[in-house]
Amino acid sequence: MPKLLPILHEPHPILRRRSDALVLSSWDKKELQALAADMVLTMKKAPGVGLAAPQIGKSIRLIVVERTPEPLVLINPKIVGHSLRKQTLEEGCLSVPGKYGLIKRWREVKVRAQTLDGQSFEIKAQGFLAQIFQHEIDHLHGTLYIDKATKLLQ
Ligand SMILES: [Zn+2]
């Protein structure tokens, strides 16, 4: 059964670290699947729409993103393309409780990543999903939305 993981809060130093690439061959597949399932449960219960591994204390390039019908698990996700246009959006973060802010994000992004089985894939997203990808991938670089927000509100 998946279990809830504690979510780290700013200013925890792990949140500021650049995450390492996740080398699938050095992981036990069951262990990695269990970690991803724990992250999905933790995201849903929070409740949140995305969660990056540094937020649960692991400095590895792994994110989960809420999406219907199934949440997405992305290993080593990278933005490989984006629209020229940006949109200003409201944003919050499970690691920065009690705050939200306004931030400019690309309207559309193309993300390349691997599945838990090691298959490469690309996914295009726009609007809210594009925002979540950018937010979670920022976490892998040690960046929080509060670093980029044009306005912070409580
Ligand atoms: Zn966050």
Side-chain angles (χ1 to χ4, degrees):
M1 287 293 282
K3 58 182 184 299
L4 278 177
L5 304 168
I7 296 175
L8 303 183
H9 291 166
E10 161 78 353
H12 197 291
I14 289 183
L15 293 170
R16 294 311 194 165
R17 213 179 278 165
R18 232 183 136 77
S19 295
D20 298 317
L22 198 160
V23 182
L24 278 167
S25 58
S26 61
W27 277 79
D28 176 88
K29 196 174 165 191
K30 285 227 166 82
E31 206 176 304
L32 188 58
Q33 281 172 338
L35 174 63
D38 290 348
M39 284 176 62
V40 167
L41 178 74
T42 303
M43 166 184 75
K44 283 176 182 286
K45 291 278 171 181
V49 290
L51 192 68
Q55 294 182 275
I56 49 98
K58 300 218 181 280
S59 221
I60 49 172
R61 295 180 173 259
L62 166 65
I63 65 172
V64 296
V65 171
E66 187 60 288
R67 197 191 61 162
T68 355
E70 286 285 305
L72 288 165
V73 176
L74 293 95
I75 289 169
N76 300 319
K78 191 180 174 194
I79 293 170
V80 292
H82 60 78
S83 59
L84 294 176
R85 281 211 292 171
K86 290 192 168 183
Q87 52 191 348
T88 299
L89 301 154
E90 269 189 17
E91 197 160 305
C93 177
L94 297 174
S95 294
V96 189
K99 279 190 186 159
Y100 68 104
L102 294 178
I103 185 164
K104 278 187 177 173
R105 297 285 193 190
W106 291 312
R107 197 179 282 268
E108 290 169 44
V109 291
K110 185 162 83 174
V111 174
R112 186 177 297 153
Q114 288 167 279
T115 64
L116 285 168
D117 294 321
Q119 280 178 318
S120 291
F121 68 99
E122 282 185 359
I123 182 169
K124 276 188 182 169
Q126 53 185 348
F128 191 40
L129 189 59
Q131 178 185 13
I132 302 170
F133 279 136
Q134 290 169 80
H135 178 110
E136 301 312 328
I137 292 170
D138 273 352
H139 272 296
L140 304 181
H141 296 100
T143 301
L144 299 175
Y145 84 91
I146 50 174
D147 307 340
K148 299 178 163 182
T150 53
K151 192 172 191 181
L152 271 182
L153 307 151
Q154 212 121 16

